[in-house]
Amino acid sequence: IFKKVYFLNFYKKIKNQILYRPEIDGLRAFAVLPVIFYHLNIKLFSGGYVGVDIFFVISGFLISNILFSEFGKDEFSLIKFYERRLRRILPALFFLLFLSIIFTWFLLMPYEFLQFHKSLLSVLTFSSNIFFMRDGDYFITDSSLKPLLHTWSLSVEEQFYLFFSFIIFSKK
C-alpha cells in the first residue's frame, strides 16, 4: 500500500508531457513477429506468446505513464480515461465483429455458429479470456473454429486498465 505522501511525490516527478517514443513502436513491431510466425506454423517460433507478453508490458508501461502523468497534474478523470479507451478500441473492434458475423454465417455449421455468438457476447463484455479459458485449450486443433479466440488478449488488457485505473483513482 502506498502512503499518500510517497504516492503524490512519485507522480509529481513525472509531470512532464508524455512524448512520442519511436523505440516503443519498434518494440511493438518486433513483438508482433513471433505471434505472426507462430500462427503461420513456423516451427522456429513455437513460443509466439512471448510477443503477446511483450505487448502487455509495453501497454502497461504506456498506460501507466498516461495515468501517472495525469494524476501528477491533478487532471486524472476516470470517465475521460475510459472515454479515450472506448474511442480508440471500439471502432476497430466493431468492424472486426461485423466482418466475423458475416463470414461465420457462411462458414460455420449451426453448432459452431451458436458457440461463436456466445464468444461474441464475451468479447463485447471484455471477458473473452474467461470464456475461452472455460471453453477449452487455446492450443487445441479445433481452435480454428473460434474466430474470436485472439480477443482474449484484448480482454486481459482492458481488465488490467479497469482495475489499474481504479487503483490509481482510489489514491486520489
Side-chain angles (χ1 to χ4, degrees), residues 81-99:
F81 172 73
Y82 284 113
E83 179 186 1
R84 287 192 312 262
R85 291 295 312 148
L86 294 176
R87 285 178 186 264
R88 182 169 183 250
I89 297 295
L90 291 183
L93 180 62
F94 287 158
F95 182 70
L96 168 82
L97 297 178
F98 174 73
L99 290 179

Side-chain angles (χ1 to χ4, degrees), residues 121-132 151-152 155 159:
L121 183 60
S122 73
V123 171
L124 292 171
T125 59
F126 295 111
S127 62
S128 63
N129 60 325
I130 297 166
F131 174 82
F132 289 119
T151 62
W152 71 267
S155 293
Q159 290 163 13

Side-chain angles (χ1 to χ4, degrees), residues 1-8 11 167 170-171:
I1 299 174
F2 291 105
K3 292 186 178 183
K4 191 165 187 160
V5 173
Y6 173 77
F7 191 77
L8 291 174
Y11 295 109
I167 291 170
S170 70
K171 299 296 181 185

Side-chain angles (χ1 to χ4, degrees), residues 17-28:
Q17 182 179 352
I18 298 168
L19 302 173
Y20 172 70
R21 308 260 320 257
E23 67 274 12
I24 292 177
D25 278 344
L27 284 173
R28 286 179 172 173

Side-chain angles (χ1 to χ4, degrees), residues 48-122:
Y49 53 85
V50 172
V52 176
D53 292 345
I54 294 169
F55 264 97
F56 284 152
V57 171
I58 292 169
S59 293
F61 172 76
L62 292 172
I63 289 299
S64 296
N65 278 336
I66 291 168
L67 291 175
F68 295 157
S69 176
E70 289 177 0
F71 192 86
K73 296 177 194 174
D74 204 27
E75 295 175 355
F76 179 72
S77 165
L78 201 56
I79 293 170
K80 287 180 183 177
F81 172 73
Y82 284 113
E83 179 186 1
R84 287 192 312 262
R85 291 295 312 148
L86 294 176
R87 285 178 186 264
R88 182 169 183 250
I89 297 295
L90 291 183
L93 180 62
F94 287 158
F95 182 70
L96 168 82
L97 297 178
F98 174 73
L99 290 179
S100 297
I101 291 168
I102 291 172
F103 282 105
T104 57
W105 174 263
F106 293 106
L107 297 175
L108 295 181
M109 299 301 288
Y111 176 75
E112 285 87 13
F113 191 66
L114 178 65
Q115 288 301 106
F116 166 77
H117 276 85
K118 291 178 182 177
S119 70
L120 183 68
L121 183 60
S122 73

